[in-house]
Amino acid sequence: MTAPYSSSTGPGRPYGRPLPSRHTPSDPLPPPCFAFEGRTWKEIAHLLVNLPLALLGFTYVMTALFTSVFLTLTVIGFPLLAAALMGARQLGRLERIRARKLLGVRVDEPSPLPLRGGGEGFFAQVWMSVKDPVGWRSMLYELIRMPWGVATFTITLVGLFVAWPVLPYVVRGLTNVDRVMVRALLSPSDELERRIAELESDRGVVVDTAAADLRRIERDLHDGAQARLVNLAMGLGLAKEKLLEDPDAAASMVAEAHGEVKLALQELRDLARGIHPAVLTDRGLDAALSAVASRCTAPVKVTVELVERPAAAIEGIAYFTVSELLQNVSKHSGARSAAVDVWRSDDRLLIQVWDDGRGGAGVDGGTGIAGLAERLDAVDGLFVIDSPVGGPTTITAELPWRGRGASGG
């Protein structure tokens, strides 16, 4: 007799073949997931929110325009219009934030109106606000977005229910139009706006650099020449007291005071050279850079090919740039030779410093290069480093060329 049940069927399963292993209850089901990617959902949210925000913006713009235009017959019309345009600026700012969060569009913030600290009167500031192109373009954006918000809301909402297989493509096309509108109407006015923002940033760098230089000069005077002069005064006072009692000791003190005077004079010369060397004023870059190169620990070949001298400010920046770079060569590079080349190309003054040291220089290396890059950027300059590990290092700096006549020097 044969057994009525097969042991492979398992308990409780009569007269049947065993289930395949892929159907066993121990295999977990795949996790549920959304049909669309996260970016698509952000774009859908942007299009659905378009309508309520468009209603708010359209209501604000129409109310502000009609009220202020109607009241221009009175004295409060133009101030009210100026306030409305400043409010439109804030609406544009909120729209830029929304586009950045949901659409990934990054648009620079326009420069603020210089309404404070400019010395203008109240009416001049009102007129400046009335002429503000950023405010007017923000209002135009809110007006255009009203019909567009209705259309995008309707298409997206219907597509969620009846056209979801193709909805991501439709949504991408609609949001691309939104991206174009944001860039065209909510970006800074033009290149001049961006230039103003750059100059404001550069002005801050220049102010900080000047303050740091003043603190350095004050520290050098306090810790160096001033301290030596105080010691000199005390030594001469003691020598005066011992002049009659112990002439030999007094003479020794006077000799020490004489040495302190020479050291103090040398420190004052170095400090004056750090502020602005006399040789640069008298003889120009070639002689001044040769003097700097002579103090470098490695032999430096200096080549200056300039038919005329640049403006004093540009000449000073070029001098201190080369001086700082050669100090880095002496302290950090371990170079056996170096070279400095200075020449003019069209409206640019070019500086190139080369050394055969260990390389690895960078703006984050803590050798003052980051400060040099900031100073050059503040005057529309460029700073390029080519310093692979193992060397050699080539640093190129560019400065805008201005002749002596342009600076009145």
Side-chain angles (χ1 to χ4, degrees):
M1 293 180 63
T2 58
Y5 302 110
S6 172
S7 62
S8 63
T9 60
R13 180 171 295 280
Y15 298 103
R17 290 182 298 175
L19 288 173
S21 60
R22 63 177 181 274
H23 289 161
T24 57
S26 61
D27 291 339
L29 295 173
C33 62
F34 288 108
F36 303 147
E37 296 180 351
R39 182 166 184 173
T40 301
W41 283 113
K42 286 184 177 182
E43 294 176 340
I44 291 173
H46 176 86
L47 296 175
L48 292 178
V49 174
N50 264 354
L51 180 58
L53 293 182
L55 287 172
L56 292 176
F58 184 81
T59 303
Y60 171 82
V61 171
M62 295 305 295
T63 303
L65 281 179
F66 277 110
T67 304
S68 57
V69 170
F70 178 76
L71 292 177
T72 50
L73 300 176
T74 66
V75 294
I76 64 173
F78 282 104
L80 185 61
L81 179 60
L85 288 169
M86 294 178 66
R89 263 182 169 256
Q90 299 306 313
L91 290 178
R93 179 174 176 270
L94 293 177
E95 287 299 325
R96 283 189 291 272
I97 294 175
R98 185 167 73 102
R100 183 168 60 251
K101 298 294 185 182
L102 297 179
L103 300 183
V105 177
R106 299 193 175 274
V107 177
D108 294 336
E109 291 291 329
S111 300
L113 291 174
L115 299 180
R116 296 180 181 179
E120 297 89 352
F122 172 74
F123 292 104
Q125 294 181 357
V126 168
W127 183 242
M128 185 185 302
S129 300
V130 170
K131 296 189 301 180
D132 178 25
V134 176
W136 283 109
R137 285 189 288 109
S138 298
M139 283 192 170
L140 178 60
Y141 176 81
E142 297 296 339
L143 292 176
I144 293 176
R145 209 160 56 90
M146 179 60 196
W148 179 249
V150 174
T152 56
F153 179 85
T154 305
I155 294 172
T156 306
L157 189 62
V158 172
L160 281 172
F161 293 98
V162 301
W164 58 267
V166 297
L167 184 60
Y169 303 97
V170 176
V171 166
R172 180 57 53 83
L174 295 176
T175 51
N176 282 341
V177 176
D178 267 321
R179 291 181 176 95
V180 172
M181 291 172 58
V182 169
R183 291 190 179 101
L185 295 178
L186 298 182
S187 61
S189 297
D190 49 19
E191 186 64 28
L192 180 60
E193 281 282 341
R194 288 187 289 273
R195 181 63 179 149
I196 290 173
E198 291 176 1
L199 290 177
E200 289 177 348
S201 175
D202 293 344
R203 181 181 61 183
V205 173
V206 171
V207 171
D208 293 341
T209 301
D213 288 340
L214 289 176
R215 289 193 298 269
R216 176 182 59 82
I217 293 171
E218 180 182 7
R219 183 182 66 250
D220 292 344
L221 284 173
H222 183 271
D223 298 341
Q226 181 179 350
R228 291 194 181 279
L229 291 175
V230 170
N231 291 334
L232 172 64
M234 294 175 61
L236 290 177
L238 292 174
K240 180 180 178 182
E241 293 178 357
K242 291 182 175 292
L243 184 61
L244 297 178
E245 300 176 1
D246 191 353
D248 294 336
S252 177
M253 291 181 180
V254 170
E256 291 180 1
H258 183 256
E260 290 288 333
V261 169
K262 291 192 290 184
L263 290 176
L265 287 176
Q266 182 60 41
E267 289 182 354
L268 289 174
R269 289 193 192 98
D270 294 339
L271 182 61
R273 187 184 299 114
I275 298 173
H276 195 85
V279 65
L280 179 63
T281 303
D282 298 337
R283 301 173 57 190
L285 272 176
D286 196 353
L289 295 183
S290 298
V292 172
S294 66
R295 298 193 294 270
C296 185
T297 57
V300 181
K301 178 182 178 182
V302 178
T303 304
V304 179
E305 298 178 352
L306 295 176
V307 177
E308 59 177 321
R309 293 179 63 178
I314 301 299
E315 194 174 56
I317 295 173
Y319 170 82
F320 287 112
T321 299
V322 175
S323 178
E324 181 73 23
L325 292 176
L326 289 182
Q327 286 184 23
N328 288 337
V329 171
S330 298
K331 296 178 181 178
H332 308 288
S333 71
R336 291 171 297 179
S337 62
V340 175
D341 295 294
V342 181
W343 72 99
R344 177 184 177 182
S345 177
D346 297 330
D347 59 346
R348 308 290 286 181
L349 177 65
L350 285 87
I351 304 166
Q352 192 170 82
V353 178
W354 173 91
D355 69 79
D356 59 356
R358 62 177 61 96
V363 294
D364 55 351
T367 57
I369 292 181
L372 282 178
E374 289 181 354
R375 291 191 183 196
L376 290 174
D377 184 65
V379 293
D380 272 351
L382 294 175
F383 194 78
V384 181
I385 301 176
D386 181 16
S387 182
V389 176
T393 296
T394 302
I395 298 180
T396 305
E398 289 189 17
L399 289 167
W401 176 270
R402 292 206 312 270
R404 285 268 154 170
S407 63

